[in-house]
Amino acid sequence: MVGDEHITKLRGPLKELKTCGRITVSKRGRLIVETIEAHGGIDCQGIIDAKHVLSGTTVILGPKCNYHGDLTAPGVVMHKGAKVKASRFAVPEDPLGLTDMPEAGESK
Amino acid sequence: MAETGDTTVVGADSHFKGELSFERTAKINGKFDGKITGKGELQVSQNAVCKADVDATGVQVDGLIEGNLNAKDTVKLNGSGVVRGDITAAKMVMTEGASFHGMCAVGPDSGRPASAAPAQSGGQAGGSPGGSPGGSSGGSSGQSPKK
């Protein structure tokens, strides 16, 4: 797991990319990998092609992005123009489970 | 069911079961069970519950939709919107806070059958070409050809 790294160009096959930081795929960037895990979130303005994508915070899909991969994230912001190739999205209503929390002062 | 100007409205205190088709704009404020087909825009208000397969030009979701959603133009999934089902649309806007469980296919070619879409070039990350990765939470899964 990588904490903070700036990859400008990396050639060759990559099976997984895991970071506790944030992944940014810029306008002409292309990320093709089997598994992506980014606990700091994902900002995609270019191309992401993956099988499984897990994000710890909101995923941003920019207006010119091309996205493919099963996505699990607490939130997604998709801009008009983003293209998504058949992928399964799991964006829960209450990612923190706050609805099950007892109210302040309420005892169990 | 009321009609205000060009908009067909299902009121907040009403529960509609059946099939609805509209020409311009329809707004669901209450509960709806069945199927919705329209040439215009469908608006699902914040507290509305819509258990239906929707086929329209545009869809704006502030409430809950349980069913598959097919839009020729834009799907707008706003902050309070919840969709449990598959979305197929030419364009889609999703705001933070919105919830979505299901398959998603967005793009100008997403509604077309696979044979009509232009051939895909470039490398894939080992995924099955055009195949749906696993099941879906809302009925028919994957990028199925237009019925």
Side-chain angles (χ1 to χ4, degrees):
Chain A
M1 190 166 286
V2 181
D4 185 17
E5 196 171 7
H6 185 204
I7 303 165
T8 312
K9 197 174 238 181
L10 189 70
R11 288 186 185 275
L14 197 63
K15 207 169 181 194
E16 56 183 29
L17 182 61
K18 291 183 177 181
T19 174
C20 34
R22 188 171 178 80
I23 292 175
T24 304
V25 180
S26 57
K27 232 174 187 179
R28 289 187 173 183
R30 189 170 51 165
L31 176 60
I32 300 172
V33 67
E34 235 174 67
T35 308
I36 297 172
E37 203 174 308
H39 292 260
I42 298 168
D43 183 354
C44 179
Q45 305 293 334
I47 298 170
I48 286 183
D49 194 337
K51 261 189 180 177
H52 305 286
V53 179
L54 175 70
S55 174
T57 65
T58 301
V59 173
I60 298 167
L61 301 178
K64 291 195 172 171
C65 103
N66 227 308
Y67 178 87
H68 180 222
D70 290 358
L71 175 66
T72 307
V76 174
V77 174
M78 194 189 294
H79 294 270
K80 201 171 188 175
K83 287 179 188 166
V84 179
K85 202 175 146 195
S87 312
R88 189 158 48 133
F89 275 45
V91 185
E93 267 173 82
D94 181 25
L96 299 175
L98 294 175
T99 47
D100 297 335
M101 293 273 282
E103 300 245 341
E106 184 187 314
S107 59
K108 279 192 174 179
Chain B
M1 190 148 43
E3 201 172 307
T4 56
D6 291 337
T7 308
T8 304
V9 182
V10 174
D13 58 346
S14 52
H15 189 165
F16 186 98
K17 281 187 184 179
E19 206 166 306
L20 169 71
S21 61
F22 61 95
E23 287 288 325
R24 290 176 185 170
T25 309
K27 193 168 185 178
I28 311 289
N29 293 330
K31 289 180 181 175
F32 188 97
D33 275 312
K35 192 181 174 187
I36 300 173
T37 316
K39 286 177 185 167
E41 192 188 58
L42 173 76
Q43 298 168 356
V44 179
S45 305
Q46 194 161 354
N47 294 315
V49 178
C50 191
K51 292 180 182 176
D53 286 338
V54 177
D55 201 334
T57 303
V59 184
Q60 193 171 320
V61 188
D62 288 287
L64 167 70
I65 292 186
E66 268 186 33
N68 299 330
L69 226 155
N70 200 328
K72 287 182 186 73
D73 193 35
T74 309
V75 170
K76 279 184 192 168
L77 190 46
N78 295 327
S80 57
V82 178
V83 174
R84 293 185 200 131
D86 303 344
I87 296 178
T88 308
K91 293 170 203 157
M92 182 166 159
V93 178
M94 191 168 168
T95 316
E96 190 156 17
S99 167
F100 171 37
H101 282 263
M103 290 292 294
C104 180
V106 180
D109 301 325
S110 61
R112 277 198 246 165
S115 56
Q120 190 87 34
S121 63
Q124 288 283 314
S128 57
S132 61
S136 118
S137 61
S140 72
S141 67
Q143 200 174 7
S144 58
K146 217 172 191 177
K147 287 157 199 163

